[in-house]
Amino acid sequence: MKNLLVTGGAGFIGTNFVYYWLGKYSEDHIVVLDALTYAGNKDNLTEAEKNPKFEFVHGNILDQPLVEALLENHNIDTIVHFAAESHVDRSIHGPDEFINTNIVGTHTLLKAAKKIWLDAGKESHRFHHISTDEVYGTLGSNDPAFTESTPYAPNSPYAASKASSDHLVRAYHETYGLNTTISNCSNNYGPFQFPEKLIPLVIINILFNKSLPIYGDGRQIRDWLYVDDHNRGVDLILEKGVSGQTYNIGGTNEWANIDIVHLICDLLLEQFSNDKSLAERFSASPAAQATDPKILITHVKDRLGHDRRYAINAQKIKNDLGFLPDESFETGIRKTLTWFLNHQPWWNNLLSDSYKKWIATNYSEPI
């Protein structure tokens, strides 16, 4: 039986991890620590709060006394550290929060873990740090995919902050002997993803006949990983991963952004054709008139420092731990699309005031 502290557990990936873990390991206890910033949503965990093995704590990873108290009072033996500022555009316009949360926050957790675990002689423990493929920089179209030995070359304040936190985790293992593992994952998608991200943004904008802004030519390539495949990878690392090691978790599933947008347009058009009630719910959508939503695509100026391609070589976690994704991109994107169509009240509550104002002006019915 494990006692887990999950930081950032009210965010997108953390929420899915909580439900994954509670569903698979019914005897384990989970404490979620989340500051509930703009991307953290306590309502994500409504069903989890019905489980007596679950507890939510509203607090910040920068609060070391709080973290130490949680580790001690709940006899925590495993930290799964999701908490992070993660949106690249936001990091370009306001990097300070990324430095504070991703670097200083991670160091605060490490200091607390060292004090409560190592300094007290607790040998059975694990600090697992969730990172990103963006720490490796960018790839050319014919370059080999990132491996765990690829030199770090972050190109955005977000990526730099995650690279820094990775180095801190490694240092606490090498210097103090803290039992740590790191996973660098590719782009996740699935239920509960915040609406500013590419896939949910495209879905919602199509539903309300709003333009689909594509950076540059849209040929930026990413490796995409369904969120519960990511969680299975983390599970395997916690079960069988070697302390001090890093594991890349990828979907072996490279797509250009523009091709993803085209796929979502096609699948939504198909959904509207098969379910006539969608045309009533979202009458402003081009799909409600059987019109291809691709007419909404607009190309905008590329963002600063936009990496051209990410690709994960996940051979290490496959060979060493037996990881393989369960979902293809088509099965995963269909599940994601269905979830967003069935959970309009959830994402409506998260839409920005400016978006809601646009809806009120251009759409005849409230959402």
Side-chain angles (χ1 to χ4, degrees):
M1 185 185 78
K2 287 184 172 67
N3 296 315
L4 291 84
L5 176 65
V6 179
T7 70
F12 162 45
I13 306 177
T15 292
N16 282 281
F17 178 82
V18 167
Y19 286 118
Y20 169 90
W21 201 271
L22 289 174
K24 185 173 180 181
Y25 300 103
S26 60
E27 295 303 310
D28 289 359
H29 293 257
I30 291 182
V31 177
V32 162
L33 175 63
D34 200 296
L36 298 180
T37 57
Y38 77 96
N41 183 1
K42 190 170 184 289
D43 290 343
N44 291 358
L45 299 169
T46 299
E47 291 302 312
E49 290 188 304
K50 299 175 183 177
N51 191 320
K53 301 287 188 177
F54 173 85
E55 181 176 337
F56 177 83
V57 176
H58 183 195
N60 200 305
I61 59 173
L62 291 158
D63 186 345
Q64 187 172 337
L66 171 62
V67 175
E68 291 175 3
L70 292 175
L71 295 179
E72 200 159 36
N73 295 341
H74 294 275
N75 195 26
I76 299 295
D77 51 55
T78 304
I79 295 174
V80 187
H81 177 33
F82 290 98
E85 296 286 346
S86 66
H87 196 254
V88 176
D89 285 355
R90 288 177 181 264
S91 82
I92 292 169
H93 299 294
D96 288 2
E97 283 303 310
F98 290 74
I99 304 304
N100 289 334
T101 298
N102 298 354
I103 301 177
V104 181
T106 298
H107 189 221
T108 301
L109 286 172
L110 289 165
K111 289 190 292 182
K114 176 183 178 296
K115 179 178 178 180
I116 301 302
W117 290 344
L118 291 184
D119 296 354
K122 185 179 178 68
E123 295 184 2
S124 179
H125 65 265
R126 174 67 67 84
F127 186 112
H128 183 70
H129 176 59
I130 307 295
S131 191
T132 171
D133 56 1
E134 296 190 42
V135 300
Y136 299 123
T138 188
L139 293 171
S141 58
N142 296 317
D143 289 340
F146 301 129
T147 70
E148 290 80 0
S149 60
T150 299
Y152 278 23
N155 290 321
S156 70
Y158 161 61
S161 68
K162 291 299 289 185
S164 299
S165 63
D166 291 6
H167 291 319
L168 283 169
V169 173
R170 182 182 186 278
Y172 265 70
H173 171 76
E174 295 293 335
T175 302
Y176 304 111
L178 193 70
N179 290 327
T180 66
T181 42
I182 299 170
S183 56
N184 295 84
C185 69
S186 53
N187 280 31
N188 278 218
Y189 67 99
F192 296 105
Q193 189 166 29
F194 197 75
E196 72 185 357
K197 299 291 188 175
L198 175 66
I199 289 175
L201 180 66
V202 169
I203 292 171
I204 294 169
N205 281 15
I206 290 172
L207 295 178
F208 295 109
N209 195 31
K210 194 171 183 182
S211 67
L212 305 177
I214 306 298
Y215 280 127
D217 62 5
R219 302 311 303 177
Q220 302 87 0
I221 293 173
R222 303 292 182 260
D223 177 39
W224 290 87
L225 178 69
Y226 189 68
V227 65
D228 268 350
D229 281 332
H230 180 191
N231 291 328
R232 288 192 310 102
V234 173
D235 185 1
L236 286 168
I237 294 169
L238 292 175
E239 178 189 0
K240 299 188 290 186
V242 177
S243 180
Q245 292 293 300
T246 294
Y247 298 89
N248 284 348
I249 308 177
T252 316
N253 178 43
E254 292 184 52
W255 281 72
N257 287 346
I258 190 66
D259 294 334
I260 290 177
V261 175
H262 286 170
L263 177 62
I264 294 172
C265 288
D266 292 341
L267 292 178
L268 260 178
L269 195 60
E270 176 188 299
Q271 288 268 17
F272 272 73
S273 176
N274 294 334
D275 183 354
K276 301 305 181 185
S277 69
L278 291 176
E280 298 177 5
R281 290 172 57 197
F282 305 106
S283 60
S285 174
Q289 286 77 44
T291 300
D292 193 334
K294 296 186 188 72
I295 64 170
L296 298 174
I297 293 173
T298 59
H299 290 267
V300 299
K301 183 179 178 181
D302 211 349
R303 75 180 177 206
L304 298 173
H306 201 174
D307 293 334
R308 193 64 174 173
R309 174 174 169 248
Y310 305 140
I312 282 282
N313 182 330
Q315 205 60 45
K316 178 178 177 179
I317 194 172
K318 292 176 183 177
N319 292 343
D320 294 1
L321 308 183
F323 171 80
L324 282 174
D326 279 347
E327 300 292 342
S328 69
F329 192 61
E330 182 165 349
T331 62
I333 204 71
R334 285 184 181 276
K335 285 184 177 182
T336 303
L337 181 56
T338 298
W339 190 89
F340 273 88
L341 289 173
N342 291 338
H343 290 81
Q344 183 184 356
W346 178 85
W347 48 259
N348 180 51
N349 287 336
L350 300 178
L351 294 179
S352 68
D353 289 340
S354 61
Y355 195 108
K356 289 180 179 179
K357 183 178 180 180
W358 182 91
I359 294 297
T361 303
N362 296 277
Y363 190 60
S364 60
E365 297 179 8
I367 61 170

